[in-house]
Amino acid sequence: MNIQNSELILNKDGSIYHLNLRPEHIANDFIFVGDQDRVNKVTAHFDKIEFSTQKREFKTTTGYYKGKRLSVISTGIGPDNIDIVINELDALVNIDLETRLIKKEHTALNIVRIGTSGSLQDDIPVDSFLISTHSLDINGMLHAYQIDKISNRDIEKAFSKHTNWSSKKANPIIIQNSKELEVKLSSKQTFKGITATAGGFYGPQGRVLRLPLQDPTINKKIDSFNFNGNRITNLEMETSAIYGLSKLLGHNACSMNAILANRANGTFSSDPGKIVEELIIYTLDKLVE
């Protein structure tokens, strides 16, 4: 049965609604960045630019780095934006946009996020690189989907018990990365850990300006959680949505984090642009090895 116009929305030129892309515009290997200005910082290293477009906060450029075809897309901030980006990218490769039928042959995308984050642990310093082995979803977006096959119930139950997680909040979900991409991106330069993905920057990440928190001790509980040696090392707003939707749709995903702040000791990078640039070059070189 073909997918209705109201569910799969296309622009007049046949491109997918929010991203303004057609299948021929994208590679199978993607780099995700949050900030649209960071797309150019990645593609500045490309040997050749093939295509570029932008609609709203979603900027996409496809080109070649050392002979490898790559697409770079800005997702904007938050899991809701990731929901748009990954569903529409999947539609470009796994749905025939003319017949509106799901293709019989599945295409898997490789997705690497290059993002910034704050460390929650003293021993993961500012200006370091961190690979998210898992992501802890504490924002609830993934509960719109059937997630039983991608969750890790033992860790989730242990986290809920450790934090006395409120029943008024969405149940936490733990999702693993693509181990193949993790191996490819790992080196002696990289730290590893569980990345927590919140649905906001202030209250959801334990920051207090003028509003009191539902649980003012939540960050200390998150920091101190340990499950068989697995710690929550950093906090941001996209990784769990990337991991969860990629797992559900049959894609491979791994998140690379430039650690700009250490919330355990209150420090912040003296040159955040430099460490982000170093992570961009590191990741590009690892992807073409």
Side-chain angles (χ1 to χ4, degrees):
M1 184 176 177
N2 62 350
I3 301 169
Q4 295 180 338
N5 292 350
S6 60
E7 311 307 296
L8 176 61
I9 306 170
L10 302 179
N11 299 309
K12 288 184 178 180
D13 64 355
S15 62
I16 200 82
Y17 183 61
H18 293 93
L19 305 185
N20 210 32
L21 295 169
R22 295 196 301 269
E24 65 269 22
H25 293 152
I26 63 170
N28 284 353
D29 295 279
F30 263 89
I31 291 174
F32 280 16
V33 295
D35 184 356
Q36 56 195 284
D37 292 336
R38 198 172 291 156
V39 173
N40 288 349
K41 291 178 181 178
V42 177
T43 60
H45 300 283
F46 280 17
D47 310 312
K48 175 186 175 183
I49 301 296
E50 179 184 295
F51 172 83
S52 189
T53 190
Q54 181 168 2
K55 185 177 181 183
R56 303 182 187 182
E57 62 266 58
F58 307 115
K59 179 173 183 176
T60 308
T61 299
T62 296
Y64 291 84
Y65 179 76
K66 296 184 178 179
K68 186 176 184 65
R69 191 171 186 245
L70 295 166
S71 291
V72 185
I73 188 168
S74 58
T75 64
I77 298 174
D80 51 342
N81 274 20
I82 299 299
D83 184 58
I84 291 171
V85 172
I86 292 189
N87 273 294
E88 292 196 0
L89 290 179
D90 177 78
L92 289 173
V93 296
N94 288 312
I95 298 174
D96 186 316
L97 300 186
E98 292 186 6
T99 65
R100 295 177 171 272
L101 295 172
I102 297 172
K103 295 178 180 179
K104 292 181 179 179
E105 186 174 339
H106 177 267
T107 296
L109 300 173
N110 298 309
I111 298 166
V112 176
R113 173 185 180 268
I114 298 178
T116 57
S117 189
S119 171
L120 300 176
Q121 305 294 340
D122 269 326
D123 60 334
I124 299 178
V126 163
D127 296 336
S128 61
F129 301 161
L130 184 140
I131 296 175
S132 307
T133 61
H134 300 74
S135 189
L136 168 66
D137 186 292
I138 53 174
N139 59 79
M141 188 278 289
L142 288 171
H143 282 288
Y145 301 97
Q146 296 179 13
I147 57 169
D148 288 348
K149 66 180 181 181
I150 65 165
S151 64
N152 291 269
R153 295 303 301 154
D154 289 344
I155 309 179
E156 292 159 7
K157 288 178 181 177
F159 175 80
S160 294
K161 182 179 180 180
H162 177 79
T163 58
N164 192 26
W165 194 252
S166 171
S167 61
K168 295 180 180 179
K169 297 178 180 179
N171 288 332
I173 314 164
I174 290 277
I175 312 107
Q176 192 175 38
N177 68 8
S178 160
K179 284 299 170 187
E180 182 180 346
L181 283 177
E182 180 189 326
V183 169
K184 191 175 187 66
L185 294 164
S186 296
S187 75
K188 293 180 180 179
Q189 288 181 254
T190 53
F191 290 86
K192 294 182 182 181
I194 300 172
T195 295
T197 300
F201 185 76
Y202 289 96
Q205 293 191 34
R207 290 184 173 91
V208 177
L209 299 183
R210 292 204 314 118
L211 295 175
L213 301 178
Q214 178 270 326
D215 181 356
T217 64
I218 189 61
N219 274 19
K220 290 183 179 179
K221 294 174 182 176
I222 290 174
D223 298 353
S224 60
F225 178 70
N226 190 310
F227 185 86
N228 296 336
N230 294 296
R231 301 179 301 166
I232 299 169
T233 48
N234 61 312
L235 191 58
E236 46 78 272
M237 294 177 62
E238 289 82 35
T239 295
S240 73
I242 295 171
Y243 283 11
L245 291 172
S246 293
K247 288 279 185 187
L248 291 172
L249 290 165
H251 304 300
N252 307 305
C254 194
S255 188
M256 301 291 290
N257 303 270
I259 300 299
L260 301 187
N262 187 299
R263 296 184 69 184
N265 56 38
T267 56
F268 191 82
S269 175
S270 61
D271 192 350
K274 180 175 182 288
I275 188 62
V276 171
E277 176 70 7
E278 289 174 356
L279 181 58
I280 288 169
I281 295 169
Y282 173 92
T283 304
L284 285 170
D285 285 339
K286 282 291 184 180
L287 289 175
V288 299
E289 277 184 357

